[in-house]
Structures are given as structure tokens and as C-alpha cells.
Amino acid sequence: MLKKLLFSTGAMSLLVPTLAFAADDKTPAQLAAAIDSVWVMLGAILVIFMQAGFALLEAGSTRMKNAGHVAGKTILTFGLCAIAFWAVGFGLAFGDGNAFVGTGGFFLDGTAEQTAASISVFAGSPIPISILFLFQLAFAGVSLAIAWGGFAERGKLPVYFIFGILFTVLIYPVVAHWVWGGGWLGELGMQDFAGSTVVHLQGATAALVATILLKPRIGKYNKDKTPNLIPGHNQVLSVLGVIILWIGWFGFNAGSTLSATGDGFFGYVALTTNLAAAAGAVAAMVISWMYFGKADIPSMLNGVLAALVAITAACAFVTPRDAIIIGAISGIITFFTAQWFEKMGVDDPIYAFSVHGIAGIWGTLSTGIFATPELAQSVGVGGAGLLYGGGFHQLGIQALGVFGAFLFVLVLSFIILGILKATIGLRVTEEEEIIGLDLSEHGSYGYPEQMKKAAQVSTTSA
């Protein structure tokens, strides 16, 4: 044992000078670039891992007969998104072009030459364009995952292929360019640090359109239009999904600093993000307790997500105290809007528009209220909010951005999904919906043993 220890110590003594020499070969700027590149790559991994959170959340929030389909389509659609965003979407979002859309940088090859020639918004970054692409792809994938909430338990599989590609190349990149790619909203100084509008409102608006065009699930409403509760089959899966999403959000928001060096601002962004989520959880649980007379766990989960959605725009612009206020308000308004939409006949199985749409709107507007002049100057985007001496100027820009993005996505989604409904159809047949999408679309259940037992019990009872 002593011989092994002495050998290891000797080996390390030879290796350490080599490592030190290698580090000495790098300039401080090169080391900073390497650290920042690893940080952004880690952020991309965290955001891509949010797909697992969406899979668990949506599968747990829907019925067992659809669980395999709901979880499996997450991988399918992220694969479609990755290819479409590489080929076209990234160039439309971040390529050089005009105030409306990018017109270069298609079929990304990862070279500095293509970046300098066609993607000047990233040309000065020390982080390789391939890493920046993966980071932005992760955001596009999240927006598309949100959109699928409106299709849950009744959407046709071919629609996922067609709309997934078209959303990635015609809808998402345009608004991304407006705000982040050198477009007109970015020039006005719209504050959307990590995408309350760009990512969440876009996906939620497409989900709302799908929900309206698909119409409610069988059995959701009675003849007098009163809604019936269709509970998800596994609340534990939903809780695990939200925990994964909460963790992934640190890549979402803190990763959007695109730097782990310097003053460590990513830590501040992580702080405001976490405080908002915590406030959303508590506020939603308390308000559901007051409303239902029982503390509702799904409402609490929605409160967490709504707060995270809202703070996504504001995380770099507001104080920790204001982050708590933003998060708490998000949890409350999402709870009440979810109840309202359901009573109005909108069958949104995972409350996608309430959680990601309403909270996305509130979060984007909140920067126009709570942004401090010091943080706005530090980030270099926009100015102070209403409560910090900025008047209504920044709030007006935020409202314009919300309205423009919502209207654009609403119209295009209605056109695309309307055409699909008139041609191939959006919804499975009544028989397929009753037996479940696992069996009708894929030929096997996500829970074959349990579903087999349920069928045997049903047959015996009959």
C-alpha cells in the first residue's frame, strides 16, 4: 500500500509541473474564454435536460393510456427541432439581415469564417459558434415543447412532424430575431433577458391556438358547459418533472449571461431566479388552499413554473426583493387564469397558456415596472422601470413587444394549424382517443402491465 502511495505521489509530482506549464502557455483572455465556453455548454446541457422535465410533467399530468405517447413525442420533436434549427432557424434568428428577420448563417458549419460573414451578432464572442448554437437550440426546443401542451391527449402524430418543423423555421426564429438577433425590438431596448416572451409566450400562444382548434377532450365538459376534472395519472412524476425544470432554469437564466468570469453576475441571476420560483410555489399553494379549501399540489407546481417563466425576462434587471414579488404575483394570476380559461371552455390539459403565456406576459411587463437603472445599465439593455424613475417609457416598450410577438404567433399558428385541420386533420378519431394514443398511434402502451390489468378488470366487471 505504501509503495502504491509513493508511486502515485511521484507521478503527480511529475504531472503537476506539466499542467502548470500548459496553463502558463495560455493568456488570461484565453483562459477566460475557455471558462466561459464551458459555462455556456453547461447551460445548454441544463436547458436541453429540461426536455426530461417536460416529459415527466406532461406524462404525469395526463392519463395513463397516453403516457408513453406524451413522453415519447418529446424526443421526436426535439430531434426535428434540432435539424430544422441547424438548417434554417438559427440563421433566421441570428443571421445578418434586416429588422424583421435574419437572412444568413443557414446550414451552420461551425467555422469562424461563416460567423464573421453572416452572423455578426456573435462574431465578437470568444465562445465558439457551435456552443452558442447549441445553447440557442435548447431555447427553441423548450418553446416547441411548450406548444405541444395544447395538443395533449388528442393530437395526431403527423401534425407533430409538420407543425414542429414549421414552428422552428417560420415562427420562433422571427420573434427571436426581433429581440435578440438585432431586430427592431432589440433596437428599441426591449428587456427579455432569457425569453419570457421569446421562448415562453411564443410556445404558449401556439398551444392556445391548438387547444382552440382541437376542441376539448371527450368527457371534459358536461352538456351545461361545466367542466369535469380529468386528473393526471401520476402526481409524483409531475413533481419530479417540475424539480428538473427548476434546476434546468439555472441554465436558462444564469446561463444567458454567457459568462462565468468577471464579476460573477451569473450568480446574481441565479439568486433572483430561485427566489421567484420559491415565492411562486408558496403563493400558489396558499391561494389554492383558500380557494378550494384544500392545498392543491398541481396548482403549486404551476405556481413554480409560472414564477420561473416570469422571472426569465426580469432576472438580470430586478432586485431580489422584487423577484419575490414578481414570483408571488405569477403564482396567483396563473392560478386564477387557469380556472377562468377552463370555465370558458378552453381545455388546456397542462395549463400551458396560463403558466407560460399569462406569466410570460406578466414577466415581460414586470421589467418595465421593477428594472433598476443600475442593473439596466450593467446589462446594457433598456432603462429603468416605472417604480425606479423610468416613467412609462420602458413599460411601453415591453408592452409593444408582448403585443407584437403575441399577434404574430397567433396569426401564423392559426394559418398553419387551420390549413392542417382542413387537409390532414389535427385530431385523432373518437375511437382512437378513447383507447388512448399509446395504442392507437404506437401500437403499445407506455404502461402495458397496468393497462392489461385494467382491461381484464373491465372485462370481468362487464
Side-chain angles (χ1 to χ4, degrees), residues 5 38 59 81 85-86 97 117 121 128 136 143 161 165-166 168 174 183 208-209 257 333 350 400 402 429 440 448 454:
L5 181 61
V38 172
C81 178
F85 197 67
W86 163 78
V121 69
Q136 294 300 333
S143 190
F161 280 87
I165 293 171
L166 294 179
T168 306
V174 175
L208 177 64
V209 173
T257 60
I333 62 174
I350 62 168
L400 177 63
V402 165
T429 65
S440 65

Side-chain angles (χ1 to χ4, degrees), residues 274-287:
N274 198 62
L275 287 173
V282 175
M285 175 64 91
V286 171
I287 204 69

Side-chain angles (χ1 to χ4, degrees), residues 33-49 127-139 251-252 254-256 258-260:
I35 293 170
D36 291 343
S37 296
V38 172
W39 169 243
V40 176
M41 187 67 208
L42 175 61
I45 292 169
L46 284 170
V47 180
I48 291 172
F49 189 58
I127 301 169
I129 191 65
S130 54
I131 295 177
L132 292 169
F133 164 77
L134 288 172
F135 188 68
Q136 294 300 333
L137 163 65
F139 281 55
F252 217 114
S256 291
L258 302 182
S259 175

Side-chain angles (χ1 to χ4, degrees), residues 54 58 141-150 199-201 203-204 207 350 352 356:
F54 282 116
E58 292 184 30
V142 166
S143 190
L144 182 58
I146 295 165
W148 297 135
V199 177
H200 296 278
L201 181 57
I350 62 168
H356 298 274

Side-chain angles (χ1 to χ4, degrees), residues 336-373:
F336 283 112
T337 56
Q339 307 305 315
W340 184 81
F341 278 117
E342 188 171 63
K343 289 179 180 177
M344 291 298 103
V346 178
D347 181 19
D348 188 350
I350 62 168
Y351 304 107
F353 191 73
S354 295
V355 171
H356 298 274
I358 299 298
I361 292 170
W362 159 240
T364 306
L365 295 177
S366 73
T367 68
I369 300 171
F370 296 105
T372 70

Side-chain angles (χ1 to χ4, degrees), residues 383-432:
L386 176 64
L387 298 182
Y388 287 87
F392 287 95
H393 178 73
Q394 190 63 47
L395 184 58
I397 293 172
Q398 301 301 108
L400 177 63
V402 165
F403 178 76
F406 175 74
L407 187 63
F408 175 79
V409 180
L410 186 77
V411 171
L412 253 67
S413 295
F414 260 116
I415 292 172
I416 294 170
L417 291 174
I419 292 172
L420 290 176
K421 184 175 182 177
T423 52
I424 67 171
L426 297 178
R427 185 166 177 160
V428 297
T429 65
E430 184 174 332
E431 180 184 2
E432 290 170 334

Side-chain angles (χ1 to χ4, degrees), residues 3 5 8 24 54 62 75-77 138 150 156 170 213 239 321 328 331 359 398 409 413 428 434:
K3 288 182 179 180
L5 181 61
S8 299
D24 288 341
F54 282 116
T62 51
I75 293 178
L76 166 67
T77 56
K156 278 185 176 180
L170 294 181
L213 292 177
V239 170
R321 179 199 62 194
Q398 301 301 108
V409 180
S413 295
V428 297
I434 290 171

Side-chain angles (χ1 to χ4, degrees), residues 99-115:
F100 184 78
V101 71
T103 56
F106 305 121
F107 299 96
L108 188 74
D109 60 17
T111 63
E113 290 76 16
Q114 185 189 36
T115 305

